[in-house]
Amino acid sequence: MYRRILVPTDGSPVSEAAVDAAIEFVHGREGSEIVALSVAVPEPTFQSLEGAMAYDPGLQMDVLLEHAQRYVDAIAARCARAGVACTALTCSALDPAEAIADTVREQQCDLIVMGSHGRRGLSRLLAGSVTQAVLAGAPVPVMVLRPAAGAG
């Protein structure tokens, strides 16, 4: 049914639970594959009132991409131990939900499995929700795993 499953990760415990679910879902399905994706999102920079700050955004991006690569490498290793095919990808983007949708199209994925932090109310409004944006704009079905009550 589903052959290429995109699993976006930010390295959080909620994302890790989604990885476990995706591996379990794919395990034993001949020809199925996980596409692990971590999106490096640059932090906005602000100039101080005293003057310009010496800052190299390239250095920050290098560190963010290094972390993203570690996340997907760990997923690839877990998949290998489980006997599941995996493609590990990273990218940088200002809008992670858009990067996820683009990757689905580019990699011809037919399902997204991702975690949600389960924020509600004001914290969701202030923190935003990548999961909500993916649900609104994904070109394929999305399976969302939320933490158990009181967790994550």
Side-chain angles (χ1 to χ4, degrees):
M1 182 173 185
Y2 296 111
R3 310 253 335 129
R4 290 182 61 86
I5 298 168
L6 180 71
V7 183
T9 184
D10 60 4
S12 68
V14 171
S15 291
E16 293 302 301
V19 171
D20 291 339
I23 290 172
E24 184 177 330
F25 185 77
V26 170
H27 189 263
R29 293 176 190 238
E30 188 68 33
S32 292
E33 177 181 8
I34 288 178
V35 177
L37 173 68
S38 187
V39 180
V41 180
E43 299 289 327
T45 58
F46 301 98
Q47 186 174 6
S48 71
L49 294 175
E50 291 82 34
M53 297 179 350
Y55 177 74
D56 181 356
L59 291 176
Q60 177 202 33
M61 204 64 238
D62 289 345
V63 170
L64 292 172
L65 283 168
E66 195 175 293
H67 285 280
Q69 189 65 52
R70 273 193 239 133
Y71 299 150
V72 296
D73 286 347
I75 293 171
R78 288 165 65 187
C79 286
R81 286 191 298 275
V84 171
C86 181
T87 299
L89 303 172
T90 63
C91 69
S92 61
L94 294 174
D95 183 348
E98 186 176 314
I100 290 167
D102 290 346
T103 302
V104 163
R105 289 188 213 43
E106 291 162 10
Q107 295 295 315
Q108 299 177 338
C109 297
D110 46 20
L111 176 68
I112 301 169
V113 175
M114 65 188 302
S116 173
H117 292 279
R119 292 185 182 104
R120 296 189 185 278
L122 187 58
S123 68
R124 179 170 159 223
L125 180 65
L126 295 175
S129 173
V130 172
T131 304
Q132 189 64 35
V134 169
L135 284 167
V140 297
V142 182
M143 180 185 299
V144 179
L145 294 119
R146 292 188 46 212

